[in-house]
Amino acid sequence: MKRVIIIVILSLVGINSKGQDLQVLLDSSTYYWNSEKYKEAFNLLTQAVTESKKQYEAGIANSASNYAYILNQMGVRLYMAENYETAESYYNAAIPIYKTIQGEGGADYLVCVNNLAVCYNDHGLYNESLNYYAYLLSNQVFLESQGASLYQTYNTAGICAYQTDNYELAKEFYKKGIDLLNENFEDYWVLTENLLVLENSVANYAEAYKLL
């Protein structure tokens, strides 16, 4: 099973359940997941998805946020199991619900969009991933929420842009990431090397030489 590698993927809020049923299912699923009993964990989380959907469709108070939360949780678990396509379907289901509830500045909305961007990237769907990263990196609320880890998002977005031959955009992202660091950080050199590879690939040797 795949371990967590997504930045901010677990920045999740508490759930406001109508009763104890959803919370029990979620807590039990987490227990089994942490015990590496993945089949049992998925079965319980699937039950939570089904129950929260029923409440959402019935218009019960707080059911929209509950449903979106559980959809995102399922996406996270499926991503960790490297079931990218199905994970993407859950993220895509959660995002419009979060957008309706919170708007484009909502913390949970932005986390879920970021999760989808990362999932598309690891799935090798670089165009789709780049579209979401470009959106996130133009969202001031998202930029402010990333803190010291923002350079990592710029690096991943740069890789997506490079993979789709969007070299100028990749260069922009790499440089913004580099500007957030100093030479004492290992990741400064990771970003610099990525930029060096890019400059060489487009035969911009003078710029590449400056990075040596």
Side-chain angles (χ1 to χ4, degrees):
M1 301 295 292
K2 189 169 186 177
R3 300 301 178 187
V4 178
I5 61 170
I6 299 185
I7 303 161
V8 309
I9 193 170
L10 296 179
S11 301
L12 302 171
V13 297
I15 192 166
N16 302 311
S17 60
K18 179 173 178 284
Q20 295 300 312
D21 51 348
L22 289 178
Q23 194 63 61
V24 169
L25 287 169
L26 288 171
D27 291 345
S28 299
S29 176
T30 299
Y31 169 79
Y32 280 116
W33 185 270
N34 291 337
S35 301
E36 298 187 358
K37 296 181 178 179
Y38 302 115
K39 181 178 179 180
E40 293 87 344
F42 274 119
N43 286 340
L44 288 164
L45 196 52
T46 299
Q47 291 179 48
V49 170
T50 300
E51 179 59 30
S52 62
K53 182 179 181 181
K54 289 179 181 178
Q55 294 184 14
Y56 173 65
E57 291 177 341
I60 295 173
N62 297 320
S63 60
S65 58
N66 290 351
Y67 185 40
Y69 175 93
I70 294 170
L71 289 170
N72 185 60
Q73 283 278 61
M74 180 64 92
V76 169
R77 298 288 174 80
L78 288 163
Y79 167 84
M80 293 168 69
E82 301 185 12
N83 189 343
Y84 300 129
E85 186 173 356
T86 308
E88 289 152 11
S89 70
Y90 278 95
Y91 291 140
N92 275 310
I95 285 170
I97 300 173
Y98 272 138
K99 185 175 181 180
T100 298
I101 298 169
Q102 301 180 345
E104 295 187 32
D108 302 310
Y109 168 77
L110 292 171
V111 166
C112 199
V113 172
N114 185 71
N115 290 349
L116 181 58
V118 173
C119 193
Y120 277 140
N121 176 63
D122 285 10
H123 193 183
L125 300 176
Y126 299 113
N127 278 307
E128 290 84 348
S129 183
L130 178 59
N131 287 337
Y132 281 102
Y133 274 124
Y135 165 73
L136 288 168
L137 292 170
S138 67
N139 186 302
Q140 189 60 36
V141 177
F142 177 80
L143 293 175
E144 293 172 358
S145 73
Q146 295 304 285
S149 68
L150 180 58
Y151 74 90
Q152 295 172 318
T153 305
Y154 276 122
N155 185 48
T156 307
I159 292 170
C160 286
Y162 178 79
Q163 292 288 348
T164 54
D165 298 335
N166 287 285
Y167 298 124
E168 287 303 314
L169 186 57
K171 185 186 299 186
E172 176 186 340
F173 287 147
Y174 289 146
K175 286 184 174 180
K176 286 183 176 181
I178 290 169
D179 287 344
L180 295 173
L181 300 171
N182 63 56
E183 296 181 6
N184 294 323
F185 286 87
E186 181 179 352
D187 287 330
Y188 173 93
W189 298 106
V190 171
L191 279 153
T192 300
E193 182 176 358
N194 288 346
L195 182 56
L196 175 63
V197 169
L198 185 156
E199 297 289 14
N200 277 324
S201 69
V202 295
N204 197 350
Y205 302 121
E207 291 299 316
Y209 181 77
K210 293 177 185 178
L211 296 168
L212 295 174

